[in-house]
Amino acid sequence: MSNRNKTNRQQGRRPRPRRRQTEWNDKGHYIYNAFYWLSDWVAYASAINDERRELAFYDAISCYGCFVIEPIFLGGDDLEYFNKHVRPELDRQHEIMRKGGRI
């Protein structure tokens, strides 16, 4: 029998268990282990001329993407962009993961 015809069962290997994408913490919140970071967000952040604002924007995305922590250090145009473009996409991804799907 050639190697091409062998299956995982014949070789004795089992499929890798799928890692859970959401967890429930003690405080009654979901923790998300993964989310997609869109290139549009990076383009917007690179257009920001102030390094502190740029880092606050990246921090807001990562905190909201993993722990659903509201951005407190954003203001003005950055907060508006976050609420208009970033938040709906992350909420969509969170909903898919809560239902057991993969993003």
Side-chain angles (χ1 to χ4, degrees):
M1 180 185 285
S2 70
N3 287 339
R4 196 175 339 166
N5 294 329
K6 290 183 178 179
T7 64
N8 285 341
R9 177 176 281 159
Q10 290 169 335
Q11 294 176 358
R13 286 187 272 165
R14 293 186 177 178
R16 229 182 265 164
R18 201 167 69 165
R19 184 177 166 194
R20 294 183 60 193
Q21 290 187 330
T22 60
E23 296 175 9
W24 188 258
N25 70 359
D26 296 338
K27 298 177 182 177
H29 299 287
Y30 280 103
I31 296 175
Y32 301 94
N33 294 324
F35 65 92
Y36 282 127
W37 198 292
L38 300 183
S39 60
D40 295 343
W41 304 343
V42 175
Y44 176 80
S46 64
I48 299 173
N49 294 329
D50 185 16
E51 187 176 308
R52 288 184 182 193
R53 283 180 46 211
E54 184 178 354
L55 291 175
F57 183 72
Y58 283 140
D59 189 46
I61 293 173
S62 61
C63 287
Y64 192 82
C66 292
F67 307 109
V68 193
I69 297 173
E70 296 296 324
I72 56 174
F73 297 112
L74 291 182
D77 294 336
D78 300 338
L79 183 60
E80 183 178 332
Y81 184 86
F82 183 87
N83 288 331
K84 191 179 262 187
H85 298 283
V86 178
R87 183 186 306 265
E89 175 61 27
L90 289 176
D91 287 342
R92 184 188 69 80
Q93 293 178 26
H94 292 162
E95 185 65 30
I96 291 169
M97 288 187 283
R98 274 195 305 268
K99 290 180 180 178
R102 297 185 74 176
I103 55 167

